[in-house]
Amino acid sequence: MNANRAAAPAQQTKRVGGLDGVRALCALGVAAVHTSFAAGVMGAYTARPGNQALADLLAGLRPLALGPFFVLSGMLLYRPFARWTLGGGERPKVVPFLAKRLARLWPAYILLSLVCVFLLNFDAVDGVWYVLRPILMLQVYDYTWIAGMDPAWTVPAEMQYYLALPLLAVLMHWLARGTADPVRKVRRMMVPLALITVGSAVWTYYIHRPSMGIYPTKYWWPLGVGGAFALGMAMALLHVLAELRPERKPALYRIAASHPLLFWVGALAVYAFNCTQPFGRPGYGDYEGVGLALTQYGLLLVFSYLTVMPLSIPGTKSRVVDAIVANPVSRYLGRISYGIYLWHFAIMYFWFKTGSVFGTQPGLMNQLRGTIGFPELMTAVLVGSILAATASHYLVERPLVKAVGRWAARKDGATRTAATAQDAYTVAGPR
């Protein structure tokens, strides 16, 4: 009976409004940071900030706003696997898992790729590989700059962690063997996650050394965001452990459940500290040196944990937090947040009227910055990306995700039926 109770929540598909709201805030934060740089608000190298106070606030979001995306992915996607190991439930089916992840990320990404390649970068097309490279998410390795897809390097990173997650789950399941105590299982399962977190910090140090130069091609590889993904997986373990052993909930779990606003105040303090850009220059979007990069790596993990943890605990309530992330507008923007993140940079190029469709080569943001005011550009980015994200969500993403979901449900149902028949055969014998 305990195994059935542990496995049952893995089938739930209801969205959590607060988590959608966090996605909305993060997507809008990333868009604001990039827009402020393009509009000349944030400083860069020899260019001084156009508005120091606003630049300080927006530079503080960089790169904190990315963290919760990866933490949420690690937490929500690993939770069914954690229930399998800790609660003795059924192991999630890998093929349906990967099919649903592919349907969630790839179609909207392909649409963006085709628009950017043929409308903004058509003059640069020198063969089929130029078109296939971004579609196959390989431009981060065979590095090619494609205007409009500037921040989309995180999508291949996310996809590669999706592919790795089932393998990592099997490894952690193997490490948990030999003990029936869920607490001891969790301790063993934390070892690979700790190694990933440390390895990601080492990689951050490596790519930010002065000898690597500014934005080396290896910067776009997925290793730098591994710590956030591992943090999400660790949080999934804590959630499942709290389900199985409610009398032994960790202290931070109990505090987050009873005082969610306190966690958000802590996240706000982390953000305020990052606005000072320790080891860097407040209000500037320079490529980080080693000191700033490592500091921000740690701050990103703390900020993401404090932001996401209280919202992910069932039954947790806070009027202030709910007013920010659980209102209808935040929840809607959260549902289309992936599209907002994908499209906001491309919208800037279209608003600047630079690219093949305008008869020009797409200009670099360093060349375009300051030619349009921040209010005008931010308004265009918000309206354009929300419209593009809405169209992508309802015309491309949602239909395909639902279709793959129905296929996965049928496949899972057929598997369960076959397993039930086999159990009956085993118990009763052939007739």
Side-chain angles (χ1 to χ4, degrees):
M1 184 176 295
N2 289 337
N4 291 336
R5 283 201 301 265
Q11 308 302 323
Q12 294 176 359
T13 58
K14 184 178 180 180
R15 301 183 71 94
V16 179
L19 298 182
D20 274 341
V22 167
R23 292 187 181 94
L25 292 179
C26 290
L28 295 176
V30 171
V33 169
H34 290 155
T35 303
S36 72
F37 180 85
V41 172
M42 192 183 301
Y45 306 105
T46 59
R48 297 175 60 85
N51 183 316
Q52 186 66 55
L54 183 57
D56 290 349
L57 293 175
L58 291 171
L61 287 175
R62 179 181 177 266
L64 300 186
L66 272 180
F69 282 124
F70 291 100
V71 169
L72 284 169
S73 293
M75 182 184 70
L76 298 174
L77 297 180
Y78 178 62
R79 191 179 293 181
F81 292 95
R83 289 194 179 101
W84 163 52
T85 300
L86 298 179
E90 183 181 357
R91 178 177 63 83
K93 302 296 186 296
V94 174
V95 172
F97 168 82
L98 294 177
K100 288 188 285 187
R101 292 303 93 211
L102 194 67
R104 180 68 188 94
L105 282 190
W106 207 23
Y109 180 83
I110 290 176
L111 179 61
L112 173 74
S113 301
L114 294 175
V115 169
C116 289
V117 165
F118 289 107
L119 295 186
L120 295 177
N121 302 271
F122 185 74
D123 293 340
V125 176
D126 56 3
V128 175
W129 181 237
Y130 187 94
V131 179
L132 289 180
R133 185 191 289 116
I135 290 176
L136 297 177
M137 300 185 178
L138 295 176
Q139 79 276 16
V140 295
Y141 295 110
D142 182 12
Y143 182 74
T144 304
W145 174 71
I146 299 176
M149 298 187 67
D150 307 61
W153 64 273
T154 58
V155 181
E158 184 104 350
M159 180 61 75
Q160 288 166 79
Y161 281 106
Y162 290 171
L163 296 175
L165 191 146
L167 297 176
L168 189 57
V170 170
L171 170 63
M172 294 166 68
H173 186 82
W174 179 81
L175 289 174
R177 295 183 311 165
T179 179
D181 181 16
V183 176
R184 294 183 64 185
K185 285 179 179 285
V186 167
R187 289 172 183 167
R188 296 182 182 185
M189 296 165 75
M190 287 289 188
V191 173
L193 303 182
L195 293 177
I196 291 173
T197 303
V198 173
S200 190
V202 172
W203 178 260
T204 299
Y205 164 79
Y206 171 72
I207 61 173
H208 285 89
R209 293 174 304 151
S211 60
M212 296 296 288
I214 296 174
Y215 288 107
T217 56
K218 293 179 181 179
Y219 174 85
W220 316 107
W221 293 12
L223 301 177
V225 298
F229 202 83
L231 173 60
M233 296 177 67
M235 290 168 63
L237 288 174
L238 294 180
H239 284 301
V240 175
L241 183 61
E243 293 172 3
L244 299 174
R245 303 286 293 272
E247 75 284 357
R248 296 188 61 179
K249 293 177 181 177
L252 286 177
Y253 187 100
R254 296 195 304 271
I255 296 172
S258 56
H259 302 287
L261 185 58
L262 181 63
F263 267 54
W264 268 47
V265 170
L268 185 62
V270 172
Y271 162 66
F273 178 69
N274 195 45
C275 287
T276 68
Q277 294 290 279
F279 305 104
R281 297 191 295 173
Y284 280 79
D286 305 342
Y287 185 67
E288 302 92 340
V290 169
L292 178 58
L294 288 175
T295 301
Q296 288 189 333
Y297 175 78
L299 293 177
L300 180 148
L301 296 181
V302 176
F303 174 84
S304 300
Y305 176 81
L306 293 173
T307 301
V308 173
M309 188 63 181
L311 295 174
S312 60
I313 298 176
T316 301
K317 293 291 184 182
S318 168
R319 291 182 180 179
V320 175
V321 175
D322 288 348
I324 297 172
V325 296
N327 63 77
V329 174
S330 294
R331 296 184 65 174
Y332 174 74
L333 293 177
R335 287 195 293 272
I336 65 169
S337 58
Y338 178 49
I340 294 174
Y341 180 80
L342 282 180
W343 286 98
H344 74 275
F345 226 96
I347 296 299
M348 281 196 278
Y349 283 96
F350 285 115
W351 197 254
F352 277 118
K353 295 182 180 180
T354 179
S356 302
V357 70
F358 301 105
T360 66
Q361 295 292 329
L364 297 172
M365 282 299 162
N366 284 335
Q367 301 168 335
L368 301 171
R369 55 180 279 112
T371 59
I372 295 178
F374 178 71
E376 175 191 347
L377 186 58
M378 191 68 217
T379 301
V381 167
L382 283 177
V383 173
S385 59
I386 289 173
L387 290 176
T390 298
S392 173
H393 179 77
Y394 285 104
L395 299 179
V396 178
E397 301 167 53
R398 190 176 179 182
L400 290 174
V401 167
K402 285 189 172 184
V404 173
R406 288 192 295 268
W407 168 83
R410 288 196 300 270
K411 184 176 180 64
D412 188 52
T415 302
R416 289 175 185 272
T417 301
T420 302
Q422 179 61 38
D423 290 343
Y425 180 89
T426 302
V427 173
R431 295 183 182 274

